[in-house]
Amino acid sequence: MRAGWDPRAARPGPCRILTRMTDPTTPGAVQLVQAYYDAFNRGDAPGMLALLTDDVRHDINEGDTQTGLDAFRAFLAKMDAHYRERAEDLVVMATPDGTRASAEFVIHGEYLKTDPGLPEAAGQRYVLPVGAFFDLRGGKIARVTNYYNLADWTRQVGQGSA
């Protein structure tokens, strides 16, 4: 931040800076979300589940909200059956109090098996930017909300390559 510059003065209303990447109170939250994506990239569903609260809320992109570890476990099993994905270029940010975090990354994936209601799978590769949002409680993830452009994904797998 530039010396003498107050970002709050540049914005109308109650906007304020919630975090700085160098804020010493955020590493636990940032590390938790990074650990979640490390487990994701390893294909380690038990490792991911261990980072979630028992009552985790999962907001699926353009889909339902599911609650609980059993629902999340079933979601991961379904994803593993249909897709192979890796999160790259991960950037994680967190609030100073460590209760909320967000991540921006690029998913590099392969569509392995047709997911009902979606285009036919034939090993198509895709690359998508993704935004994810988290509530954190007691050193665990209590909410995961993902957003990506489903129309872009559909175009990519419809063309057979990314």
Side-chain angles (χ1 to χ4, degrees):
M1 186 178 319
R2 296 186 306 241
W5 182 72
D6 183 352
R8 293 168 293 196
R11 297 184 178 138
C15 295
R16 60 188 170 94
I17 298 287
L18 292 176
T19 189
R20 295 179 192 93
M21 290 307 291
T22 58
D23 188 325
T25 63
T26 59
V30 169
Q31 290 171 349
L32 177 60
V33 173
Q34 287 174 331
Y36 174 85
Y37 286 107
D38 287 346
F40 175 86
N41 283 342
R42 289 192 311 271
D44 179 6
M48 291 175 71
L49 293 166
L51 299 172
L52 306 175
T53 61
D54 290 341
D55 64 344
V56 65
R57 178 179 138 193
H58 183 207
D59 301 314
I60 300 168
N61 187 72
E62 296 192 35
D64 295 329
T65 295
Q66 299 178 342
T67 304
L69 285 176
D70 288 340
F72 206 97
R73 184 178 294 107
F75 174 82
L76 291 177
K78 177 186 176 196
M79 292 297 292
D80 286 347
H82 296 277
Y83 310 91
R84 181 179 308 124
E85 296 182 324
R86 179 168 180 79
E88 297 184 12
D89 303 319
L90 178 68
V91 176
V92 179
M93 297 153 276
T95 58
D97 65 2
T99 61
R100 292 188 345 197
S102 62
E104 181 178 16
F105 54 94
V106 177
I107 278 290
H108 294 258
E110 184 176 358
Y111 190 28
L112 304 172
K113 178 181 170 189
T114 303
D115 200 345
L118 295 174
E120 195 70 26
Q124 304 95 315
R125 295 186 184 275
Y126 51 92
V127 177
L128 287 172
V130 178
F133 303 91
F134 301 87
D135 286 340
L136 309 172
R137 180 175 9 105
K140 292 195 170 194
I141 297 169
R143 174 183 62 98
V144 179
T145 301
N146 289 299
Y147 291 106
Y148 58 88
N149 187 329
L150 183 59
D152 184 23
W153 178 86
T154 301
R155 280 189 294 276
Q156 289 185 50
V157 301
Q159 295 171 359
S161 65

